[in-house]
Amino acid sequence: MMSVLSGLLAVGLVVGLSVGSALAVEPTDNTGAGQSATQALDSLEVKGRAPKTGYKRTQFGKAWADVDRNGCDTRNDILNRDLTDVKHKVRTHDCVVESGQLHDPYTGKDIAFKKGWKTSTAVQIDHVVALSDAWQKGAQKLSQTKRTELANDPYNLLAVQGKANQKKSDGDAATWLPSNKSFRCEYVARQIGVKHKYSLWITQAEKEAISKVLSSCPTQTVPDYTGVKDSTVEKTTESEQTEQTQTEQSAEQAQQNQQTTQAPAPEPAPAPAPAPQPAPQQDVYYQNCTAARAAGTAPIYQDQPGYRLQLDRDHDGVACE
């Protein structure tokens, strides 16, 4: 009887899991998962940031490689995991996401995703610990195989609002935090887990910033799951968004007032010189995706220098994926 039940369970698992969902429930390892985030933070080495010399995206392998060999690239694995109401491109074995809904953890906003030349960039896949940041904090010493694992690790990847991802760039917790304050504790705790897993260090400023966030959530643990925990992502209300905008505007106004107060009285302006002609904007051109990856700029989004439709094979607004 037990052998029959085991066989039925195995069949159910094979039938029930789509290609794109394979990474969603994999257990993490060596992240310090489950332990106090504050204690895990104290276990990380504190050092200065190393030079960015030698950093290229290709140091972390091909962008969105199918490292788990499940027949679906990493980008679509994460879209399948983090989006709801997903619809797939036909004849892709439920891999390539055509559309879906994202509840963005970074802003708390709901975003409709639609694959296309001008629309795909609305949702982007963010490395929670940016690859450039990782490079300057220990990843230079990792093997190419280990760096490729880091770049495609679902524990270090989240589908997020494109604008928020671009604003974050390669910043660490000392320079950027999600505007959705309800997600900040989980966000920095995951950064701790990633850095613990790959033996990366943190700077003193980064540790202080993370400690400040965790002081508001002393029971926060290092996440033991990939993706986002539903209970911690609260939808930002319209009033909260208005309050946040007003706070940012007040801070900007205070900074401007301070600069005006501190600035010395201006001297009489000399006669204006003829306005110089603006220098022509220098175009960035990559002959092919190999050249773009060698320059460390792949993938290239539609609004970034170097993007060309010829490099965007599936016309989804992201070239050299």
Side-chain angles (χ1 to χ4, degrees), residues 35-48:
Q35 69 172 291
S36 163
T38 300
Q39 292 179 357
L41 174 64
D42 289 336
S43 71
L44 298 179
E45 185 179 9
V46 179
K47 293 173 60 175

Side-chain angles (χ1 to χ4, degrees), residues 139-296:
Q140 297 182 33
K141 300 179 181 179
L142 299 178
S143 67
Q144 177 83 12
T145 299
K146 201 68 176 177
R147 288 197 296 265
T148 301
E149 178 187 336
L150 167 61
N152 293 275
D153 190 338
Y155 190 79
N156 188 37
L157 296 171
L158 292 175
V160 300
Q161 183 199 64
K163 291 181 179 178
N165 184 40
Q166 294 295 312
K167 188 172 183 180
K168 172 188 173 181
S169 186
D170 59 356
D172 60 19
T175 59
W176 187 89
L177 289 169
S179 61
N180 180 17
K181 294 181 179 179
S182 66
F183 185 66
R184 288 182 178 179
C185 288
E186 182 177 336
Y187 173 76
V188 298
R190 185 171 296 277
Q191 287 191 326
I192 293 170
V194 172
K195 295 206 168 188
H196 188 280
K197 181 175 182 178
Y198 292 95
S199 302
L200 306 177
W201 68 74
I202 57 176
T203 64
Q204 183 61 40
E206 183 181 3
K207 183 173 184 178
E208 291 173 0
I210 293 176
S211 296
K212 183 177 180 180
V213 172
L214 294 178
S215 66
S216 66
C217 46
T219 60
Q220 177 69 48
T221 58
V222 177
D224 58 357
Y225 49 87
T226 65
V228 173
K229 200 170 186 178
D230 292 339
S231 61
T232 64
V233 182
E234 301 175 1
K235 186 174 181 179
T236 304
T237 64
E238 184 176 350
S239 61
E240 288 173 335
Q241 293 176 10
T242 302
E243 180 183 355
Q244 179 181 330
T245 301
Q246 292 174 343
T247 301
E248 293 175 351
Q249 290 175 344
S250 297
E252 291 177 0
Q253 185 62 46
Q255 184 178 7
Q256 291 175 0
N257 292 340
Q258 183 179 10
Q259 292 174 348
T260 302
T261 302
Q262 295 177 349
E267 297 180 359
Q277 293 297 321
Q281 184 176 359
Q282 183 177 3
D283 292 332
V284 178
Y285 178 83
Y286 299 111
Q287 183 177 4
N288 48 42
C289 285
T290 301
R293 294 188 183 102

